[in-house]
Amino acid sequence: ETGVTQTPRHLVMGMTNKKSLKCEQHLGHNAMYWYKQSAKKPLELMFVYSLEERVENNSVPSRFSPECPNSSHLFLHLHTLQPEDSALYLCASSGTGGDYEQYFGPGTRLTVT
Amino acid sequence: GENVEQHPSTLSVQEGDSAVIKCTYSDSASNYFPWYKQELGKRPQLIIDIRSNVGEKKDQRIAVTLNKTAKHFSLHITETQPEDSAVYFCAASIGTGGFKTIFGAGTRLFVKA
C-alpha cells in the first residue's frame, strides 16, 4: 500500500493494557502528526514531529506516548487508557511546515473497555 | 486558546444547487487555510487550500474565499452532485515555522438527488 498506512485498523483494549499504534508513510515527507477524531469533538491535533523532533504536544495526557524513530515511522504508545479515549486515531504526514497538505492514513479505531 | 468555528454543522441541498460553508478563526498569525473532505468511513483528503496572500481561489466547482481582516473564510461548491455528500472540515494553521493546525468541527453535507 502506498501513501500513509496505519496498523492495526481496529483495536480493543482494556484499561490496564499496553498497546501501540503504528504509522508509516511512503511519501518522503519530513513531518508526521497524530490526531484524535471522536464523535463529540473535531479533529484534535495531539502531536507533531518534524525531522524526528517533537514540535507540538497539544496538552495530551501522559498515558499517550509518541515515538518517531525516523521520518517514515511514527508510533503512539498507549497505557492505562480510559473509556473516553475511545476514538479514531489518525496519522498524517506532510512536507516540512504547517502550510503543506497533510496526507492522512486510514486510522485506527480504538475501543477502550 | 486558538479555535476555528465552522457553520453550519449540517447542510442539506438539492442536486445542482450551491453549498456554502463558513469558518472563522481566532489566531491572527494563521496564514494557511486548507479544506478537507471526509467521506463516510474514509480518511480526510485535501480538496482546496488558500494562503493569506490571496483572497480567492477556484478549482472547477469548488472555490474558497478569505477575508483576513474579518478572520473569515468560506467554501463554495456549485452545481452540487450526490458524490459531494461528505463531511467537510476547514482548518487554520501557521505555515512558516509552525505546524499547529486547528480544525473546525466539520459540516455534514447531504446532496439530494
Side-chain angles (χ1 to χ4, degrees), chain A residues 5-8 20-24 34 73-76 91 108:
Chain A
T5 59
Q6 289 185 243
T7 55
S20 296
L21 309 184
K22 179 183 177 182
C23 176
E24 186 172 357
W34 278 118
H73 294 86
L74 184 66
F75 295 89
L76 188 63
C91 172
T108 295

Side-chain angles (χ1 to χ4, degrees), chain A residues 59-75:
Chain A
S59 302
V60 180
S62 60
R63 57 185 183 269
F64 295 91
S65 175
E67 178 189 0
C68 187
N70 55 62
S71 59
S72 298
H73 294 86
L74 184 66
F75 295 89

Side-chain angles (χ1 to χ4, degrees), chain B residues 1-17:
Chain B
E2 303 95 342
N3 74 303
V4 174
E5 292 189 4
Q6 182 172 348
H7 300 280
S9 57
T10 306
L11 179 60
S12 183
V13 300
Q14 203 68 37
E15 182 179 1
D17 288 350

